[in-house]
Amino acid sequence: MEAGETQQTQETFIRRNPWSVLAVVLSVFFAARVVADALNDKVLGIDFGVFHAGGSLISSEGFEAAYDTDRFTEVLAANYFAPAGEGANVSVFISTPTFGWFAQALAWLPFTPSLTIWYIAGLLLLVPACRMLSLPNWVAAALLISPMMAVNTIFGQTGLFVLVLFIGLHIAHRENRLVLAGLLAGLIVVKPVLAVGYGLLWLVQFRTYARSIAVALVTGAFLSIPTVIGGLGPWQSFLGAMEERADAESNWVQQAPSVSEFVKLLFPQSESWITLTSWGLGLVVGAAFLMAANRRFGHDAEIMSAAAIIASVLASPHLLTYDTMILVIPVAVAYSRGLLTGDRGGMLFAIIAVSYVLGPVLYIMQFEILGRGIGLELPAVLLCSVLLVRWDSETSEDSGLGSDRLDAVLADA
């Protein structure tokens, strides 16, 4: 291909996919900046360091030592990282004892080789994850450069593993495999703040998912057995650590699309009761979202599962950027149903990228003037959700089968 033809092809691609180009440019800029900052500050993989240190302490000194803030900070600073400022307040082990029990496996190897394996294992899941969702392989490349992946990388977090777990949960719901759904949901006991969306869905459709609820409870209890063999001490230490963490949780953080974090941006450095109120508000919003979805799509298990994932992002009390990779699942549902014609997928990607790249800048400007501000991350997720519903309505109307007509056809069937 000659140079002139190559340039023409590139220009044609940009004209046809302006949103995708914008999303890629912003995402690459964001990823390069945050990873460079992490390397410069020598804190790459800091959250994995917390997991590794927690597992090591549990193995050598027990759960009480892992949840002891002073002892944990001493070990973290001596062997891993020494966070300064606000970072010192949040770099403590606050995962559940169940996660802590599994974290002992992470400490079998020294930190650096263990982190390397963690990264490689996560990356190896990307392409299979996209194939499980029947997405083209280039979506894996888009996820690789996404803001969610960049943040997951600098912290060494669990985002990719959570994504695969949620894909399994979604497929189980889509295929009406209620026992499997319960078994997979039970695994979320290692990180229960992620269970909010499916928990709300199961309550909204209790008759359908009563069996799943029972299986999930049994599975979660079984996985927690190693933490209670010697008594409830590990859980008492965990609750004590969470009480100490309450003040840190009341501080605002950016690039988190949940209702809770959106509220805390409006009330920075607030008292603990604001945080508790924001958690309750998140649950109300998530439940309202699912009940609205149930009225329109209650007969469609696949769409309701996608709605539960969006509700998890909205309602979770502690769900940050890296875990929002699960939003690729609702996008996959839209793709499979032919809703992402043209550059619509690029538009969704661009909206999220803009919220992460420009959101902190705009918030800092508001904060300097008003001492508070509005974050862009939650509005971005809501806007993408509205667009998906609108495109679904347009597709139904174009096919001559609107939602009311569809309900009637299903009822007749």
Side-chain angles (χ1 to χ4, degrees), residues 4-26:
E5 294 177 348
T6 301
Q7 182 178 359
Q8 184 178 5
T9 300
Q10 293 173 344
E11 291 176 351
T12 300
F13 177 84
I14 292 173
R15 285 197 301 270
R16 291 181 177 177
N17 304 277
W19 290 108
S20 294
V21 173
L22 175 62
V24 169
V25 170
L26 289 176

Side-chain angles (χ1 to χ4, degrees), residues 290-372:
L290 277 173
M291 287 189 288
N294 190 57
R295 284 195 294 271
R296 179 167 179 173
F297 304 108
H299 54 270
D300 192 322
E302 184 178 42
I303 290 185
M304 289 305 298
S305 175
I309 289 168
I310 296 173
S312 291
V313 173
L314 297 177
S316 176
H318 185 77
L319 184 143
L320 301 183
T321 306
Y322 39 80
D323 284 327
T324 58
M325 275 190 279
I326 60 177
L327 289 173
V328 75
I329 298 173
V331 173
V333 173
Y335 174 80
S336 70
R337 297 184 177 220
L339 304 186
L340 301 185
T341 56
D343 198 26
R344 286 176 172 179
M347 180 184 294
L348 299 178
F349 190 9
I351 290 170
I352 296 298
V354 166
S355 73
Y356 284 127
V357 174
L358 299 183
V361 177
L362 294 177
Y363 184 79
I364 290 173
M365 293 172 59
Q366 298 173 74
F367 186 81
E368 290 179 349
I369 298 173
L370 304 172
R372 66 193 69 237

Side-chain angles (χ1 to χ4, degrees), residues 125-143:
L125 292 174
L126 264 180
V127 171
C130 290
R131 288 180 177 174
M132 290 169 68
L133 292 170
S134 300
L135 290 169
N137 289 339
W138 62 260
V139 176
L143 280 174

Side-chain angles (χ1 to χ4, degrees), residues 54-387:
S56 178
L57 269 174
I58 291 169
S59 295
S60 60
E61 301 179 31
F63 284 94
E64 185 175 352
Y67 291 118
D68 183 285
T69 301
D70 293 335
R71 177 60 181 147
F72 185 87
T73 302
E74 176 187 348
V75 170
L76 190 70
N79 302 299
Y80 300 88
F81 305 93
E86 291 186 2
N89 296 326
V90 298
S91 296
V92 294
F93 192 74
I94 59 163
S95 300
T96 62
T98 310
F99 183 92
W101 190 81
F102 284 102
Q104 294 177 88
L106 303 178
W108 286 348
L109 292 174
F111 171 71
T112 299
S114 186
L115 177 62
T116 302
I117 293 173
W118 183 260
Y119 280 145
I120 293 173
L123 289 175
L124 289 176
L125 292 174
L126 264 180
V127 171
C130 290
R131 288 180 177 174
M132 290 169 68
L133 292 170
S134 300
L135 290 169
N137 289 339
W138 62 260
V139 176
L143 280 174
L144 189 62
I145 64 170
S146 68
M148 296 81 83
M149 185 65 184
V151 176
N152 188 76
T153 300
I154 65 173
F155 288 127
Q157 262 288 348
T158 58
L160 287 166
F161 304 99
V162 167
L163 172 60
V164 172
L165 173 59
F166 270 70
I167 290 174
L169 253 177
H170 172 69
I171 292 173
H173 281 76
R174 184 184 67 196
E175 298 179 355
N176 199 34
R177 300 170 67 179
L178 302 183
V179 173
L180 177 61
L183 287 170
L184 292 174
L187 298 179
I188 305 179
V189 70
V190 300
K191 202 168 183 180
V193 291
L194 299 177
V196 175
Y198 279 109
L200 290 172
L201 170 62
W202 290 359
L203 291 176
V204 170
Q205 297 189 347
F206 180 79
R207 291 184 179 180
T208 300
Y209 292 108
R211 186 187 308 174
S212 299
I213 293 172
V215 173
L217 291 174
V218 171
T219 302
F222 177 79
L223 293 175
S224 300
I225 287 175
T227 68
V228 296
I229 289 177
L232 297 177
W235 289 93
Q236 292 172 344
S237 297
F238 166 70
L239 292 175
M242 287 302 296
E243 288 182 11
E244 292 183 17
R245 171 77 176 210
D247 290 337
E249 284 293 332
S250 296
N251 294 337
W252 55 276
V253 297
Q254 292 182 283
Q255 299 176 336
S258 67
V259 170
S260 173
E261 297 302 340
F262 181 84
V263 170
K264 285 190 285 184
L265 288 176
L266 295 171
F267 301 94
Q269 309 299 332
S270 58
E271 297 180 5
S272 298
W273 71 268
I274 292 289
T275 296
L276 295 175
T277 302
S278 71
W279 291 353
L281 180 60
L283 288 174
V284 171
V285 171
F289 178 83
L290 277 173
M291 287 189 288
N294 190 57
R295 284 195 294 271
R296 179 167 179 173
F297 304 108
H299 54 270
D300 192 322
E302 184 178 42
I303 290 185
M304 289 305 298
S305 175
I309 289 168
I310 296 173
S312 291
V313 173
L314 297 177
S316 176
H318 185 77
L319 184 143
L320 301 183
T321 306
Y322 39 80
D323 284 327
T324 58
M325 275 190 279
I326 60 177
L327 289 173
V328 75
I329 298 173
V331 173
V333 173
Y335 174 80
S336 70
R337 297 184 177 220
L339 304 186
L340 301 185
T341 56
D343 198 26
R344 286 176 172 179
M347 180 184 294
L348 299 178
F349 190 9
I351 290 170
I352 296 298
V354 166
S355 73
Y356 284 127
V357 174
L358 299 183
V361 177
L362 294 177
Y363 184 79
I364 290 173
M365 293 172 59
Q366 298 173 74
F367 186 81
E368 290 179 349
I369 298 173
L370 304 172
R372 66 193 69 237
I374 295 174
L376 295 183
E377 295 80 8
L378 174 63
V381 172
L382 292 175
L383 175 58
C384 290
S385 301
V386 169
L387 287 173

